[in-house]
Amino acid sequence: MIPSILRPYRSVGSGSIRVLRSRTLGTRNNSSGSKQPAVPEEVAAKNAELRVLRARLELSDSFPLSLLSTALNTPTSRNEYMKNTDLQRAGRRLLDYRISEYITCKYPRLPTEAVKSASLAFGGEDTLTNIGTIWGIEAERSSGPIPYVEHGVENLGKLRYVPREIKVTRRVVKIQPDTSKGSSFKEAMSSAVEAVFGAVLMTEGPNYAIDLVDGHVLSRRVDFSALFQFSSPSRELHRLCVREGFVEPEYRLLAESGRHTVAPSFVVGAYSGPDKIGEGYGTSKQEARSRAAVNALKAWYLYSPKPVNYPSDGYKGEEYKGVYIDAGQIVV
Amino acid sequence: MPLKPVKVASIARNGYKKFVMPCKRLTFQYCNWGGSSAGMRDFISTHLKSFAAENPSTHFQIIRKKGHPIIKGEYINGREKVICTRNMNTREILQKANLLKASSGEKLSRSSIKRPVKSLNPSVRGIWSPLHATLQRPIYKL
């Protein structure tokens, strides 16, 4: 006789969508043929931490707690419940879509390398781990080198994974049987956060999920001007002016102080014809000149159209007006 | 390559667009025998249920342990705050529980009290520069 807690759940609630969900997500066949049931809703409803997580994310009271519990069950965990693989994949796609859409529409001239590092700053492993910590997700205590599986209600609201690290205490070296199966805390936590986004996408639809990504991920501060460095800024600025048909850049000394002292300072402006396109300071004229070129280049690359239109606005029933598409990076 | 990407970190701005309660757990510890826990026992049996219902974003825990009663708050920045509530009545305990619930978890310091708001953005006005000041105002010949 299977204990009721391990039995696959067939239907929860009364709505037709829920019944459909329990068929598609409720049970999953893995390669070995054994079934991994989802946590029954009536069992998950008894867990206080899942309720708290739902409230902290401002999800509706009808949001299934069993789905949240599944999102926290990472593939390396040793219990027999359904893992978060599918939800994680959906959430990852949603994050990638929304983050790349946000960056490329907001800063259309941003170079490809800078777009990549900005995407990592918003949706990388470190950031998602931090978001999970803010949400209040904690790892279960039994996550450790010694297999200790608890089917109680109390662990359903915790992050469940097996750490990859081999723990070396004073004299005892605890070696895990199969190290390839473990995951790091950051991997587990970021997959759980991705899976929560995936679960919201599946349950509440794209509008709600995109709002959640905006609120928790894109609301974070990323300094876009610190995303790139130039090795030859004056040459690149010159090429840019030639390509765009501007007057070739000139550098003029605007102010200086203490030229013959130990602490000289110069202020140089980069001009294209009568227009000042950048300004820089430095302890030498050369340094001030390259800072002026960097300033002008960053002003070009960090152009942002106002208002910003996003393709996903189409989900909200708003008219999609198209976005600004740039000619691309300057080739030096 | 003329342009080098730089790895940057993103900084959380809790409260901008979405707010997540900084206090993630409140633990109430009491003793079933000790006289100093009388108020805490009373609080747990009468006030705690409604207090927890008012704060769904915080996880409430009750621990029975010998010794003086305490309230412990755990926060999203990884810190903990503990208040000993020995010989307090229910009203005082509720006040302390509210204090822990409303706290951000940051360590209390002189700067955090005097200047509680820290901006991540650079000044819109910029920093005053003597070199630019001479550029803007007319230069008088002596």
Side-chain angles (χ1 to χ4, degrees):
Chain A
M1 182 69 193
I2 312 166
S4 66
I5 208 167
L6 293 177
R7 237 175 272 151
Y9 84 102
R10 290 192 182 81
S11 65
V12 262
S14 52
S16 59
I17 304 165
R18 285 200 179 175
V19 176
L20 182 71
R21 190 192 306 124
S22 73
R23 274 189 208 130
T24 51
L25 289 170
T27 53
R28 185 169 173 268
N29 289 317
N30 59 18
S31 53
S32 61
S34 64
K35 282 190 173 180
Q36 290 185 316
V39 182
E41 182 64 27
E42 58 271 18
V43 176
K46 285 178 193 161
N47 187 287
E49 279 177 313
L50 286 174
R51 283 173 177 277
V52 169
L53 181 61
R54 184 168 70 179
R56 288 173 79 81
L57 293 174
E58 293 171 350
L59 299 169
S60 65
D61 288 347
S62 60
F63 192 89
L65 295 174
S66 57
L67 206 58
L68 269 187
S69 180
T70 304
L72 301 180
N73 201 19
T74 63
T76 62
S77 66
R78 289 200 186 91
N79 56 50
E80 286 131 52
Y81 289 129
M82 188 171 73
K83 307 292 185 277
N84 70 356
T85 323
D86 294 344
L87 295 174
Q88 185 264 339
R89 200 177 291 137
R92 187 67 250 176
R93 295 292 183 278
L94 172 77
L95 279 170
D96 283 342
Y97 168 69
R98 181 59 186 150
I99 291 170
S100 58
E101 173 196 70
Y102 175 82
I103 296 169
T104 46
C105 294
K106 193 161 188 206
Y107 298 104
R109 283 180 188 155
L110 209 63
T112 322
E113 287 86 3
V115 170
K116 278 182 199 162
S117 48
S119 314
L120 270 180
F122 277 123
E125 210 174 79
D126 293 342
T127 307
L128 293 181
T129 305
N130 184 247
I131 291 171
T133 314
I134 288 173
W135 287 353
I137 300 173
E138 292 168 348
E140 65 170 346
R141 282 208 190 125
S142 61
S143 281
I146 304 159
Y148 169 64
V149 184
E150 211 176 305
H151 291 299
V153 185
E154 57 268 28
N155 273 357
L156 294 177
K158 302 258 191 211
L159 176 71
R160 281 153 283 158
Y161 75 108
V162 171
R164 187 189 289 135
E165 293 89 17
I166 297 168
K167 280 192 179 172
V168 183
T169 51
R170 269 198 180 171
R171 281 184 192 171
V172 186
V173 181
K174 290 172 181 171
I175 299 169
Q176 223 175 275
D178 188 359
T179 46
S180 65
K181 277 184 180 170
S183 67
S184 71
F185 171 71
K186 282 184 179 178
E187 279 168 7
M189 185 65 119
S190 56
S191 91
V193 171
E194 285 161 358
V196 169
F197 282 121
V200 174
L201 175 71
M202 303 268 187
T203 321
E204 307 281 342
N207 282 340
Y208 197 90
I210 283 172
D211 276 352
L212 201 73
V213 173
D214 286 5
H216 292 282
V217 180
L218 297 177
S219 67
R220 295 171 72 90
R221 185 177 182 272
V222 173
D223 188 2
F224 277 84
S225 68
L227 281 173
F228 37 77
Q229 283 177 338
F230 303 95
S231 55
S232 47
S234 356
R235 194 150 64 126
E236 197 163 326
L237 183 63
H238 186 268
R239 286 289 172 90
L240 171 70
C241 289
V242 170
R243 191 188 81 177
E244 296 295 321
F246 303 151
V247 184
E248 289 182 12
E250 264 184 9
Y251 299 92
R252 292 177 203 153
L253 189 63
L254 299 177
E256 65 167 274
S257 173
R259 188 184 278 245
H260 300 297
T261 65
V262 288
S265 64
F266 299 92
V267 177
V268 165
Y271 285 82
S272 168
D275 305 320
K276 189 163 97 171
I277 53 175
E279 194 189 283
Y281 68 94
T283 52
S284 70
K285 281 185 281 183
Q286 186 52 46
E287 192 190 338
R289 186 186 132 111
S290 43
R291 281 232 173 90
V294 166
N295 185 237
L297 281 172
K298 282 193 174 173
W300 171 264
Y301 279 133
L302 294 174
Y303 159 76
S304 181
K306 285 193 175 63
V308 190
N309 302 315
Y310 300 111
S312 67
D313 290 344
Y315 289 126
K316 292 166 187 162
E318 290 165 27
E319 198 193 339
Y320 177 53
K321 299 174 191 84
V323 292
Y324 173 85
I325 295 167
D326 188 59
Q329 206 172 328
I330 304 150
V331 181
V332 181
Chain B
M1 199 161 64
L3 196 143
K4 280 177 263 171
V6 181
K7 199 185 169 193
V8 295
S10 62
I11 305 164
R13 286 186 285 193
N14 194 8
Y16 171 57
K17 289 192 181 177
K18 289 272 185 206
F19 174 71
V20 182
M21 198 68 181
C23 178
K24 63 177 177 184
R25 183 175 294 124
L26 279 179
T27 308
F28 295 82
Q29 186 186 307
Y30 74 103
C31 173
N32 221 3
W33 181 79
S36 63
S37 288
M40 182 61 106
R41 289 195 295 266
D42 195 16
F43 177 81
I44 289 169
S45 55
T46 56
H47 289 63
L48 188 59
K49 201 175 176 185
S50 61
F51 184 65
E54 283 165 22
N55 302 292
S57 298
T58 306
H59 182 215
F60 286 84
Q61 239 180 10
I62 305 171
I63 294 176
R64 200 186 74 187
K65 199 180 172 189
K66 66 176 181 182
H68 288 311
I70 59 162
I71 313 175
K72 186 168 80 173
E74 288 168 59
Y75 300 90
I76 55 176
N77 59 2
R79 289 181 56 84
E80 282 180 5
K81 288 190 177 185
V82 184
I83 294 178
C84 178
T85 59
R86 63 172 176 186
N87 299 327
M88 285 187 187
N89 59 29
T90 49
R91 194 180 52 82
E92 286 164 333
I93 291 171
L94 184 66
Q95 206 180 355
K96 296 295 179 195
N98 266 318
L99 184 81
L100 286 180
K101 182 208 84 186
S103 171
S104 69
E106 291 295 330
K107 205 172 179 177
L108 285 184
S109 66
R110 198 180 153 82
S111 63
S112 72
I113 293 165
K114 277 205 156 185
R115 281 177 287 279
V117 178
K118 283 181 213 152
S119 178
L120 294 169
N121 300 325
S123 160
V124 178
R125 240 179 175 188
I127 303 164
W128 182 82
S129 146
L131 294 167
H132 289 82
T134 50
L135 283 178
Q136 282 155 13
R137 67 160 197 256
I139 299 163
Y140 300 106
K141 276 191 177 176
L142 294 174

